[in-house]
PDB file of all heavy atoms in Angstrom:
ATOM      1  N   GLY R   1       0.827  -1.198   0.000  1.00  0.00           N
ATOM      2  CA  GLY R   1       0.000   0.000   0.000  1.00  0.00           C
ATOM      3  C   GLY R   1       0.858   1.242   0.000  1.00  0.00           C
ATOM      4  O   GLY R   1       2.078   1.186   0.186  1.00  0.00           O
ATOM      5  N   LYS R   2       0.224   2.378  -0.228  1.00  0.00           N
ATOM      6  CA  LYS R   2       0.948   3.650  -0.181  1.00  0.00           C
ATOM      7  C   LYS R   2      -0.050   4.780  -0.036  1.00  0.00           C
ATOM      8  O   LYS R   2      -1.249   4.639  -0.297  1.00  0.00           O
ATOM      9  CB  LYS R   2       1.780   3.843  -1.446  1.00  0.00           C
ATOM     10  CG  LYS R   2       0.974   3.989  -2.726  1.00  0.00           C
ATOM     11  CD  LYS R   2       1.878   4.215  -3.931  1.00  0.00           C
ATOM     12  CE  LYS R   2       1.046   4.363  -5.209  1.00  0.00           C
ATOM     13  NZ  LYS R   2       1.886   4.610  -6.401  1.00  0.00           N
ATOM     14  N   ASN R   3       0.451   5.924   0.415  1.00  0.00           N
ATOM     15  CA  ASN R   3      -0.308   7.169   0.388  1.00  0.00           C
ATOM     16  C   ASN R   3       0.654   8.278  -0.001  1.00  0.00           C
ATOM     17  O   ASN R   3       1.783   7.993  -0.438  1.00  0.00           O
ATOM     18  CB  ASN R   3      -1.001   7.435   1.734  1.00  0.00           C
ATOM     19  CG  ASN R   3      -0.031   7.506   2.900  1.00  0.00           C
ATOM     20  OD1 ASN R   3       1.116   7.956   2.756  1.00  0.00           O
ATOM     21  ND2 ASN R   3      -0.466   7.040   4.063  1.00  0.00           N
ATOM     22  N   LYS R   4       0.255   9.517   0.137  1.00  0.00           N
ATOM     23  CA  LYS R   4       1.125  10.602  -0.329  1.00  0.00           C
ATOM     24  C   LYS R   4       2.340  10.811   0.571  1.00  0.00           C
ATOM     25  O   LYS R   4       3.281  11.518   0.185  1.00  0.00           O
ATOM     26  CB  LYS R   4       0.329  11.900  -0.443  1.00  0.00           C
ATOM     27  CG  LYS R   4      -0.191  12.449   0.869  1.00  0.00           C
ATOM     28  CD  LYS R   4      -0.958  13.745   0.632  1.00  0.00           C
ATOM     29  CE  LYS R   4      -1.476  14.330   1.938  1.00  0.00           C
ATOM     30  NZ  LYS R   4      -2.214  15.597   1.711  1.00  0.00           N
ATOM     31  N   HIS R   5       2.330  10.173   1.757  1.00  0.00           N
ATOM     32  CA  HIS R   5       3.416  10.370   2.710  1.00  0.00           C
ATOM     33  C   HIS R   5       4.432   9.243   2.723  1.00  0.00           C
ATOM     34  O   HIS R   5       5.618   9.481   2.963  1.00  0.00           O
ATOM     35  CB  HIS R   5       2.849  10.537   4.122  1.00  0.00           C
ATOM     36  CG  HIS R   5       1.907  11.683   4.257  1.00  0.00           C
ATOM     37  ND1 HIS R   5       2.287  12.993   4.092  1.00  0.00           N
ATOM     38  CD2 HIS R   5       0.567  11.703   4.539  1.00  0.00           C
ATOM     39  CE1 HIS R   5       1.231  13.783   4.270  1.00  0.00           C
ATOM     40  NE2 HIS R   5       0.185  13.028   4.539  1.00  0.00           N
ATOM     41  N   TYR R   6       3.990   8.003   2.507  1.00  0.00           N
ATOM     42  CA  TYR R   6       4.912   6.875   2.626  1.00  0.00           C
ATOM     43  C   TYR R   6       4.378   5.656   1.891  1.00  0.00           C
ATOM     44  O   TYR R   6       3.209   5.595   1.496  1.00  0.00           O
ATOM     45  CB  TYR R   6       5.181   6.528   4.088  1.00  0.00           C
ATOM     46  CG  TYR R   6       3.939   6.319   4.932  1.00  0.00           C
ATOM     47  CD1 TYR R   6       3.147   5.181   4.784  1.00  0.00           C
ATOM     48  CD2 TYR R   6       3.555   7.265   5.890  1.00  0.00           C
ATOM     49  CE1 TYR R   6       2.018   4.987   5.556  1.00  0.00           C
ATOM     50  CE2 TYR R   6       2.419   7.081   6.663  1.00  0.00           C
ATOM     51  CZ  TYR R   6       1.662   5.940   6.497  1.00  0.00           C
ATOM     52  OH  TYR R   6       0.529   5.746   7.262  1.00  0.00           O
ATOM     53  N   ILE R   7       5.273   4.667   1.736  1.00  0.00           N
ATOM     54  CA  ILE R   7       4.928   3.369   1.163  1.00  0.00           C
ATOM     55  C   ILE R   7       4.848   2.353   2.291  1.00  0.00           C
ATOM     56  O   ILE R   7       5.667   2.370   3.223  1.00  0.00           O
ATOM     57  CB  ILE R   7       5.984   2.936   0.132  1.00  0.00           C
ATOM     58  CG1 ILE R   7       5.909   3.850  -1.094  1.00  0.00           C
ATOM     59  CG2 ILE R   7       5.783   1.482  -0.297  1.00  0.00           C
ATOM     60  CD1 ILE R   7       7.017   3.620  -2.093  1.00  0.00           C
ATOM     61  N   ILE R   8       3.871   1.473   2.228  1.00  0.00           N
ATOM     62  CA  ILE R   8       3.719   0.416   3.229  1.00  0.00           C
ATOM     63  C   ILE R   8       4.265  -0.867   2.637  1.00  0.00           C
ATOM     64  O   ILE R   8       3.879  -1.269   1.528  1.00  0.00           O
ATOM     65  CB  ILE R   8       2.235   0.222   3.598  1.00  0.00           C
ATOM     66  CG1 ILE R   8       1.606   1.543   4.046  1.00  0.00           C
ATOM     67  CG2 ILE R   8       2.089  -0.843   4.697  1.00  0.00           C
ATOM     68  CD1 ILE R   8       0.091   1.528   4.064  1.00  0.00           C
ATOM     69  N   VAL R   9       5.185  -1.502   3.352  1.00  0.00           N
ATOM     70  CA  VAL R   9       5.776  -2.737   2.864  1.00  0.00           C
ATOM     71  C   VAL R   9       5.631  -3.824   3.914  1.00  0.00           C
ATOM     72  O   VAL R   9       5.494  -3.550   5.107  1.00  0.00           O
ATOM     73  CB  VAL R   9       7.269  -2.551   2.518  1.00  0.00           C
ATOM     74  CG1 VAL R   9       7.449  -1.465   1.463  1.00  0.00           C
ATOM     75  CG2 VAL R   9       8.105  -2.252   3.758  1.00  0.00           C
ATOM     76  N   GLU R  10       5.670  -5.075   3.437  1.00  0.00           N
ATOM     77  CA  GLU R  10       5.616  -6.231   4.327  1.00  0.00           C
ATOM     78  C   GLU R  10       6.917  -7.015   4.180  1.00  0.00           C
ATOM     79  O   GLU R  10       7.334  -7.328   3.054  1.00  0.00           O
ATOM     80  CB  GLU R  10       4.417  -7.103   3.962  1.00  0.00           C
ATOM     81  CG  GLU R  10       4.154  -8.224   4.950  1.00  0.00           C
ATOM     82  CD  GLU R  10       2.769  -8.829   4.721  1.00  0.00           C
ATOM     83  OE1 GLU R  10       2.629  -9.599   3.753  1.00  0.00           O
ATOM     84  OE2 GLU R  10       1.843  -8.519   5.482  1.00  0.00           O
ATOM     85  N   LEU R  11       7.552  -7.307   5.305  1.00  0.00           N
ATOM     86  CA  LEU R  11       8.802  -8.056   5.277  1.00  0.00           C
ATOM     87  C   LEU R  11       8.550  -9.465   4.769  1.00  0.00           C
ATOM     88  O   LEU R  11       7.569 -10.111   5.135  1.00  0.00           O
ATOM     89  CB  LEU R  11       9.420  -8.105   6.671  1.00  0.00           C
ATOM     90  CG  LEU R  11       9.726  -6.749   7.321  1.00  0.00           C
ATOM     91  CD1 LEU R  11      10.281  -6.955   8.729  1.00  0.00           C
ATOM     92  CD2 LEU R  11      10.692  -5.943   6.474  1.00  0.00           C
ATOM     93  N   GLN R  12       9.458  -9.957   3.926  1.00  0.00           N
ATOM     94  CA  GLN R  12       9.294 -11.267   3.298  1.00  0.00           C
ATOM     95  C   GLN R  12      10.358 -12.243   3.813  1.00  0.00           C
ATOM     96  O   GLN R  12      11.508 -11.863   4.074  1.00  0.00           O
ATOM     97  CB  GLN R  12       9.421 -11.145   1.783  1.00  0.00           C
ATOM     98  CG  GLN R  12       8.392 -10.234   1.138  1.00  0.00           C
ATOM     99  CD  GLN R  12       6.985 -10.774   1.240  1.00  0.00           C
ATOM    100  OE1 GLN R  12       6.681 -11.833   0.694  1.00  0.00           O
ATOM    101  NE2 GLN R  12       6.122 -10.047   1.938  1.00  0.00           N
ATOM    102  N   GLY R  13       9.969 -13.502   3.921  1.00  0.00           N
ATOM    103  CA  GLY R  13      10.915 -14.553   4.272  1.00  0.00           C
ATOM    104  C   GLY R  13      11.647 -14.286   5.567  1.00  0.00           C
ATOM    105  O   GLY R  13      11.044 -13.975   6.593  1.00  0.00           O
ATOM    106  N   GLU R  14      12.991 -14.382   5.513  1.00  0.00           N
ATOM    107  CA  GLU R  14      13.819 -14.188   6.698  1.00  0.00           C
ATOM    108  C   GLU R  14      14.289 -12.750   6.858  1.00  0.00           C
ATOM    109  O   GLU R  14      15.054 -12.435   7.773  1.00  0.00           O
ATOM    110  CB  GLU R  14      15.049 -15.120   6.616  1.00  0.00           C
ATOM    111  CG  GLU R  14      14.713 -16.609   6.579  1.00  0.00           C
ATOM    112  CD  GLU R  14      13.973 -17.045   7.820  1.00  0.00           C
ATOM    113  OE1 GLU R  14      14.346 -16.609   8.925  1.00  0.00           O
ATOM    114  OE2 GLU R  14      13.015 -17.843   7.694  1.00  0.00           O
ATOM    115  N   ALA R  15      13.868 -11.867   5.982  1.00  0.00           N
ATOM    116  CA  ALA R  15      14.339 -10.475   6.029  1.00  0.00           C
ATOM    117  C   ALA R  15      13.875  -9.793   7.310  1.00  0.00           C
ATOM    118  O   ALA R  15      12.741  -9.980   7.754  1.00  0.00           O
ATOM    119  CB  ALA R  15      13.827  -9.711   4.811  1.00  0.00           C
ATOM    120  N   ASP R  16      14.772  -9.003   7.910  1.00  0.00           N
ATOM    121  CA  ASP R  16      14.379  -8.168   9.036  1.00  0.00           C
ATOM    122  C   ASP R  16      14.621  -6.710   8.670  1.00  0.00           C
ATOM    123  O   ASP R  16      15.181  -6.397   7.605  1.00  0.00           O
ATOM    124  CB  ASP R  16      15.107  -8.561  10.329  1.00  0.00           C
ATOM    125  CG  ASP R  16      16.619  -8.390  10.230  1.00  0.00           C
ATOM    126  OD1 ASP R  16      17.083  -7.570   9.413  1.00  0.00           O
ATOM    127  OD2 ASP R  16      17.341  -9.079  10.975  1.00  0.00           O
ATOM    128  N   GLN R  17      14.208  -5.801   9.541  1.00  0.00           N
ATOM    129  CA  GLN R  17      14.266  -4.387   9.200  1.00  0.00           C
ATOM    130  C   GLN R  17      15.709  -3.895   9.025  1.00  0.00           C
ATOM    131  O   GLN R  17      15.973  -2.986   8.229  1.00  0.00           O
ATOM    132  CB  GLN R  17      13.548  -3.557  10.251  1.00  0.00           C
ATOM    133  CG  GLN R  17      14.133  -3.627  11.634  1.00  0.00           C
ATOM    134  CD  GLN R  17      13.308  -2.820  12.626  1.00  0.00           C
ATOM    135  OE1 GLN R  17      12.282  -2.248  12.265  1.00  0.00           O
ATOM    136  NE2 GLN R  17      13.769  -2.749  13.864  1.00  0.00           N
ATOM    137  N   TRP R  18      16.650  -4.504   9.758  1.00  0.00           N
ATOM    138  CA  TRP R  18      18.038  -4.050   9.646  1.00  0.00           C
ATOM    139  C   TRP R  18      18.626  -4.424   8.284  1.00  0.00           C
ATOM    140  O   TRP R  18      19.369  -3.632   7.681  1.00  0.00           O
ATOM    141  CB  TRP R  18      18.873  -4.658  10.777  1.00  0.00           C
ATOM    142  CG  TRP R  18      18.238  -4.410  12.123  1.00  0.00           C
ATOM    143  CD1 TRP R  18      17.728  -5.336  12.969  1.00  0.00           C
ATOM    144  CD2 TRP R  18      18.007  -3.138  12.731  1.00  0.00           C
ATOM    145  NE1 TRP R  18      17.195  -4.729  14.084  1.00  0.00           N
ATOM    146  CE2 TRP R  18      17.359  -3.380  13.955  1.00  0.00           C
ATOM    147  CE3 TRP R  18      18.280  -1.818  12.367  1.00  0.00           C
ATOM    148  CZ2 TRP R  18      16.975  -2.366  14.828  1.00  0.00           C
ATOM    149  CZ3 TRP R  18      17.917  -0.795  13.219  1.00  0.00           C
ATOM    150  CH2 TRP R  18      17.266  -1.071  14.433  1.00  0.00           C
ATOM    151  N   HIS R  19      18.295  -5.591   7.810  1.00  0.00           N
ATOM    152  CA  HIS R  19      18.739  -5.988   6.465  1.00  0.00           C
ATOM    153  C   HIS R  19      18.136  -5.065   5.419  1.00  0.00           C
ATOM    154  O   HIS R  19      18.834  -4.627   4.478  1.00  0.00           O
ATOM    155  CB  HIS R  19      18.328  -7.435   6.198  1.00  0.00           C
ATOM    156  CG  HIS R  19      18.573  -7.872   4.785  1.00  0.00           C
ATOM    157  ND1 HIS R  19      19.833  -8.141   4.291  1.00  0.00           N
ATOM    158  CD2 HIS R  19      17.704  -8.055   3.740  1.00  0.00           C
ATOM    159  CE1 HIS R  19      19.738  -8.486   3.024  1.00  0.00           C
ATOM    160  NE2 HIS R  19      18.458  -8.451   2.665  1.00  0.00           N
ATOM    161  N   VAL R  20      16.849  -4.756   5.562  1.00  0.00           N
ATOM    162  CA  VAL R  20      16.180  -3.871   4.606  1.00  0.00           C
ATOM    163  C   VAL R  20      16.830  -2.490   4.618  1.00  0.00           C
ATOM    164  O   VAL R  20      17.079  -1.882   3.568  1.00  0.00           O
ATOM    165  CB  VAL R  20      14.673  -3.784   4.909  1.00  0.00           C
ATOM    166  CG1 VAL R  20      14.011  -2.713   4.046  1.00  0.00           C
ATOM    167  CG2 VAL R  20      14.010  -5.140   4.674  1.00  0.00           C
ATOM    168  N   LEU R  21      17.124  -1.979   5.803  1.00  0.00           N
ATOM    169  CA  LEU R  21      17.783  -0.667   5.906  1.00  0.00           C
ATOM    170  C   LEU R  21      19.132  -0.668   5.193  1.00  0.00           C
ATOM    171  O   LEU R  21      19.492   0.303   4.513  1.00  0.00           O
ATOM    172  CB  LEU R  21      17.958  -0.290   7.379  1.00  0.00           C
ATOM    173  CG  LEU R  21      16.746   0.324   8.072  1.00  0.00           C
ATOM    174  CD1 LEU R  21      16.980   0.384   9.593  1.00  0.00           C
ATOM    175  CD2 LEU R  21      16.446   1.714   7.529  1.00  0.00           C
ATOM    176  N   GLU R  22      19.879  -1.741   5.359  1.00  0.00           N
ATOM    177  CA  GLU R  22      21.181  -1.830   4.696  1.00  0.00           C
ATOM    178  C   GLU R  22      21.023  -1.844   3.178  1.00  0.00           C
ATOM    179  O   GLU R  22      21.790  -1.185   2.443  1.00  0.00           O
ATOM    180  CB  GLU R  22      21.912  -3.097   5.157  1.00  0.00           C
ATOM    181  CG  GLU R  22      23.253  -3.347   4.489  1.00  0.00           C
ATOM    182  CD  GLU R  22      24.260  -2.238   4.741  1.00  0.00           C
ATOM    183  OE1 GLU R  22      24.114  -1.477   5.736  1.00  0.00           O
ATOM    184  OE2 GLU R  22      25.216  -2.115   3.936  1.00  0.00           O
ATOM    185  N   GLU R  23      20.009  -2.561   2.682  1.00  0.00           N
ATOM    186  CA  GLU R  23      19.764  -2.593   1.252  1.00  0.00           C
ATOM    187  C   GLU R  23      19.318  -1.233   0.726  1.00  0.00           C
ATOM    188  O   GLU R  23      19.695  -0.835  -0.388  1.00  0.00           O
ATOM    189  CB  GLU R  23      18.712  -3.662   0.924  1.00  0.00           C
ATOM    190  CG  GLU R  23      19.159  -5.090   1.210  1.00  0.00           C
ATOM    191  CD  GLU R  23      20.398  -5.467   0.424  1.00  0.00           C
ATOM    192  OE1 GLU R  23      20.403  -5.236  -0.809  1.00  0.00           O
ATOM    193  OE2 GLU R  23      21.356  -5.979   1.037  1.00  0.00           O
ATOM    194  N   LEU R  24      18.547  -0.525   1.499  1.00  0.00           N
ATOM    195  CA  LEU R  24      18.136   0.823   1.105  1.00  0.00           C
ATOM    196  C   LEU R  24      19.356   1.740   1.015  1.00  0.00           C
ATOM    197  O   LEU R  24      19.454   2.586   0.117  1.00  0.00           O
ATOM    198  CB  LEU R  24      17.116   1.382   2.111  1.00  0.00           C
ATOM    199  CG  LEU R  24      15.745   0.697   2.167  1.00  0.00           C
ATOM    200  CD1 LEU R  24      14.918   1.249   3.322  1.00  0.00           C
ATOM    201  CD2 LEU R  24      14.988   0.876   0.850  1.00  0.00           C
ATOM    202  N   ARG R  25      20.289   1.590   1.952  1.00  0.00           N
ATOM    203  CA  ARG R  25      21.511   2.409   1.942  1.00  0.00           C
ATOM    204  C   ARG R  25      22.324   2.131   0.684  1.00  0.00           C
ATOM    205  O   ARG R  25      22.850   3.059   0.050  1.00  0.00           O
ATOM    206  CB  ARG R  25      22.341   2.112   3.196  1.00  0.00           C
ATOM    207  CG  ARG R  25      23.572   2.996   3.358  1.00  0.00           C
ATOM    208  CD  ARG R  25      24.471   2.480   4.448  1.00  0.00           C
ATOM    209  NE  ARG R  25      25.058   1.184   4.102  1.00  0.00           N
ATOM    210  CZ  ARG R  25      26.088   1.029   3.277  1.00  0.00           C
ATOM    211  NH1 ARG R  25      26.640   2.087   2.677  1.00  0.00           N
ATOM    212  NH2 ARG R  25      26.565  -0.175   3.036  1.00  0.00           N
ATOM    213  N   LYS R  26      22.418   0.853   0.315  1.00  0.00           N
ATOM    214  CA  LYS R  26      23.181   0.476  -0.878  1.00  0.00           C
ATOM    215  C   LYS R  26      22.582   1.097  -2.143  1.00  0.00           C
ATOM    216  O   LYS R  26      23.291   1.336  -3.119  1.00  0.00           O
ATOM    217  CB  LYS R  26      23.212  -1.044  -1.020  1.00  0.00           C
ATOM    218  CG  LYS R  26      24.054  -1.749   0.033  1.00  0.00           C
ATOM    219  CD  LYS R  26      23.978  -3.266  -0.159  1.00  0.00           C
ATOM    220  CE  LYS R  26      24.783  -3.990   0.899  1.00  0.00           C
ATOM    221  NZ  LYS R  26      24.674  -5.484   0.755  1.00  0.00           N
ATOM    222  N   LEU R  27      21.277   1.329  -2.121  1.00  0.00           N
ATOM    223  CA  LEU R  27      20.605   1.939  -3.280  1.00  0.00           C
ATOM    224  C   LEU R  27      20.664   3.465  -3.246  1.00  0.00           C
ATOM    225  O   LEU R  27      20.054   4.132  -4.085  1.00  0.00           O
ATOM    226  CB  LEU R  27      19.138   1.483  -3.314  1.00  0.00           C
ATOM    227  CG  LEU R  27      18.900   0.008  -3.644  1.00  0.00           C
ATOM    228  CD1 LEU R  27      17.438  -0.360  -3.409  1.00  0.00           C
ATOM    229  CD2 LEU R  27      19.305  -0.308  -5.078  1.00  0.00           C
ATOM    230  N   ASN R  28      21.400   3.998  -2.263  1.00  0.00           N
ATOM    231  CA  ASN R  28      21.543   5.456  -2.114  1.00  0.00           C
ATOM    232  C   ASN R  28      20.197   6.154  -1.910  1.00  0.00           C
ATOM    233  O   ASN R  28      19.966   7.262  -2.399  1.00  0.00           O
ATOM    234  CB  ASN R  28      22.262   6.067  -3.326  1.00  0.00           C
ATOM    235  CG  ASN R  28      23.708   5.605  -3.424  1.00  0.00           C
ATOM    236  OD1 ASN R  28      24.413   5.548  -2.416  1.00  0.00           O
ATOM    237  ND2 ASN R  28      24.132   5.269  -4.640  1.00  0.00           N
TER     238      ASN R  28
END
């Protein structure tokens, strides 16, 4: 989901928020 302020995501598989944050950093 999304609205004008943010995107809503659901963590998949074994992913945790710290892994996701690191991947976001890699994408600049």
Side-chain angles (χ1 to χ4, degrees):
K2 65 178 180 179
N3 58 33
K4 65 180 181 180
H5 301 295
Y6 52 72
I7 291 173
I8 306 164
V9 302
E10 188 166 77
L11 302 178
Q12 300 293 297
E14 299 299 318
D16 62 25
Q17 62 183 2
W18 308 114
H19 172 74
V20 172
L21 278 169
E22 177 61 22
E23 294 301 310
L24 293 173
R25 185 191 66 78
K26 290 178 181 178
L27 291 170
N28 294 317

